[in-house]
């Protein structure tokens, strides 16, 4: 590695990072784009690139991962044994085999902050949408029914917003919700410091069920893992206020979708705003047709600013590893990672 620049390969063109940023990065690293658009092309083209250019030291995975998933040994095994780091432009990482990477001394980094504010914007959009009943309102505006059955709608002022997962996305959501005069409660694996709670005017709830019981609107912003799969199911809907609202911008599988449908049909949940679903894009037909759903096609972090931030964060993790021996935002821990 002392006789050559580290080779960094990006899965697709990181066109949002900016040419000036990339030119600066290339002063210390060789950089190549793998022009694969799906899993099969990646499996074919990556070994060919390695044969032509030599070992890949760092691998970047941009937004738009479904055509390639899952990111495991079957897809990325040709990177071994030389690759030191894999970085992802996405915040969630349930589609990545992090255990495989750790066993093979590969650092894995997601983007902790790049998509956080954009995803919080989506959460606020969905909070307002469920309160304003925008699915039926738009149908009314496009038909002869106009405002029938829509007046008055619900106002966020004075409502309690319960945030599940007070990481970067949850904090942005809390700050933005304050502008709508909402009270902020939160549930998290670890309680925030008194100073941070004061900054966000946030009240800690020690259990998930205590949060659900106190909240008028529940917003999910926790990662998907073994502990959070079906985190919101029958018992959790039973704990919620009758007529409350649910917003999910995390991952679809955090919610038991059949239990959600039952809660909507019974009136336990008035409406749900969903940016994420199980089995995307082949989602449950109920969510396509029900007036009780405000649906978005997993668009939370997909803004131009978030794309720029996320791609740059991928490169900065790599730069930090070679400069300091550690990435900026590692998901795992690697011993002797360089």
């Amino acid at each position: 590695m002392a006789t050559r620049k580290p080779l960094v390969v990006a899965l697709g063109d990181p066109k949002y990072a900016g040419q000036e940023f990339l030119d600066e990065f290339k002063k210390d690293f060789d950089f190549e784009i793998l022009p694969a658009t799906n899993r099969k092309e990646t499996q074919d083209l990556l070994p060919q690139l390695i044969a032509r250019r030599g070992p890949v030291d760092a691998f970047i995975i941009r937004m738009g991962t479904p055509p390639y998933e899952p990111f495991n040994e079957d897809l990325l095994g040709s990177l071994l044994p030389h690759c030191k780091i894999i970085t992802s432009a996405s915040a969630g990482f349930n589609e990545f085999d992090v255990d495989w990477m750790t066993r093979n001394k590969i650092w894995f980094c997601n983007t902790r902050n790049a998509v956080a504010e954009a995803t919080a914007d989506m959460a606020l959009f969905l909070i307002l949408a469920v309160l304003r009943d925008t699915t039926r309102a738009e149908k009314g505006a496009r038909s002869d029914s106009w405002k029938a059955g829509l007046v008055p709608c619900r106002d966020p002022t004075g409502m309690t917003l319960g945030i599940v997962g007070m990481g970067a996305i949850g904090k942005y959501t809390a700050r933005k919700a304050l502008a709508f005069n909402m009270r902020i409660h939160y549930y998290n694996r670890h309680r925030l410091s008194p100073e941070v709670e004061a900054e966000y005017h946030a009240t800690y709830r020690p259990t998930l069920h205590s949060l659900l019981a106190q909240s008028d609107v529940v917003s999910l912003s926790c990662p998907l893992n073994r502990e959070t799969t079906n985190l919101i199911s029958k018992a959790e809907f039973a704990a919620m206020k009758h007529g409350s609202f649910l917003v999910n911008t995390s991952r679809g599988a955090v919610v038991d979708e059949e239990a959600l449908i039952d809660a909507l049909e019974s009136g336990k949940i008035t409406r749900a705003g969903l940016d994420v679903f199980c089995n995307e894009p082949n989602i449950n037909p109920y969510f396509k047709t029900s007036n009780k759903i405000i649906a978005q096609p997993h668009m939370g972090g997909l803004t131009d600013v978030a794309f720029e931030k996320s791609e740059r964060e991928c490169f900065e993790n790599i730069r930090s590893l070679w400069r300091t021996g550690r990435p900026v935002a590692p998901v795992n821990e690697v011993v002797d990672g360089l």
Side-chain angles (χ1 to χ4, degrees):
M1 293 182 65
T3 60
R4 69 177 181 92
K5 292 181 180 180
L7 175 59
V8 179
V9 174
L11 183 57
D13 184 5
K15 58 185 178 181
Y16 293 93
Q19 192 58 51
E20 185 177 344
F21 178 90
L22 291 176
D23 289 343
E24 182 66 24
F25 183 82
K26 290 176 186 177
K27 291 179 181 179
D28 300 312
F29 298 86
D30 283 335
F31 178 65
E32 181 110 9
I33 295 170
L34 187 72
T37 61
N38 56 51
R39 186 177 183 85
K40 180 62 167 60
E41 290 179 4
T42 303
Q43 290 169 317
D44 292 341
L45 294 178
L46 185 55
Q48 294 176 25
L49 182 147
I50 293 170
R52 174 170 54 86
R53 289 297 312 272
V56 173
D57 297 290
F59 195 69
I60 294 172
I61 297 164
R62 297 164 53 253
M63 292 281 199
T65 58
Y68 308 91
E69 296 174 8
F71 292 91
N72 55 11
E73 183 175 13
D74 182 56
L75 181 69
L76 301 176
S78 58
L79 292 173
L80 298 179
H82 300 283
C83 187
K84 303 298 186 291
I85 183 171
I86 294 173
T87 63
S88 166
S90 300
F93 52 89
N94 54 290
E95 62 269 35
F96 293 87
D97 189 345
V98 181
D99 291 340
W100 170 75
M101 297 178 201
T102 306
R103 289 196 304 272
N104 288 282
K105 298 185 180 300
I106 299 174
W107 292 93
F108 175 72
C109 303
N110 64 339
T111 51
R112 294 182 177 176
N113 298 311
V115 301
E117 186 164 11
T119 305
D121 287 344
M122 176 61 75
L124 259 294
F125 165 77
L126 290 173
I127 289 168
L128 295 176
V130 294
L131 296 177
R132 290 297 186 104
D133 200 358
T134 57
T135 294
R136 287 203 304 147
E138 182 165 350
K139 288 179 179 178
R142 295 176 183 273
S143 68
D144 294 332
S145 63
W146 198 235
K147 299 177 184 178
L150 296 169
V151 181
C153 59
R154 300 294 299 276
D155 196 302
T157 295
M159 282 190 165
T160 296
L161 172 63
I163 299 175
V164 180
M166 199 67 165
I169 295 170
K171 289 173 183 173
Y172 273 118
T173 303
R175 176 173 287 131
K176 293 170 185 288
L178 289 172
F180 294 93
N181 303 310
M182 302 188 81
R183 294 190 294 264
I184 309 301
H185 291 198
Y186 77 98
Y187 169 72
N188 208 41
R189 287 182 302 170
H190 307 290
R191 184 171 184 174
L192 304 177
S193 69
E195 293 77 14
V196 175
E197 288 185 345
E199 178 183 354
Y200 293 96
H201 301 271
T203 299
Y204 175 66
R205 292 295 172 185
T207 66
L208 175 60
H209 279 215
S210 66
L211 176 87
L212 299 176
Q214 294 293 321
S215 301
D216 301 297
V217 182
V218 175
S219 179
L220 306 176
S221 54
C222 54
L224 176 63
N225 52 42
R226 294 182 185 91
E227 289 73 32
T228 61
T229 298
N230 283 343
L231 180 70
I232 307 298
S233 191
K234 292 181 180 180
E236 287 66 41
F237 286 118
M240 293 174 69
K241 288 184 177 182
H242 188 83
S244 56
F245 302 84
L246 178 74
V247 165
N248 188 8
T249 56
S250 56
R251 286 292 188 268
V254 171
V255 176
D256 178 343
E257 291 188 339
E258 291 302 322
L260 171 59
I261 293 171
D262 290 342
L264 287 164
E265 288 301 295
S266 71
K268 182 70 174 185
I269 304 300
T270 300
R271 278 180 292 278
L274 306 176
D275 185 45
V276 289
F277 303 85
C278 295
N279 303 317
E280 297 173 5
N282 303 307
I283 68 175
N284 189 311
Y286 178 91
F287 300 125
K288 299 179 182 180
T289 58
S290 174
N291 287 335
K292 299 177 181 180
I293 296 294
I294 288 81
Q296 292 288 294
H298 205 152
M299 292 287 289
L302 306 187
T303 71
D304 51 357
V305 172
F307 272 34
E308 177 189 278
K309 289 180 178 179
S310 63
E311 290 184 353
R312 289 187 176 188
E313 196 169 322
C314 287
F315 287 98
E316 292 298 349
N317 272 301
I318 294 168
R319 196 198 309 267
S320 176
L321 179 61
W322 262 264
R323 285 181 175 177
T324 72
R326 183 179 180 83
V328 177
V331 170
N332 60 350
E333 289 293 330
V334 174
V335 179
D336 299 325
L338 266 183

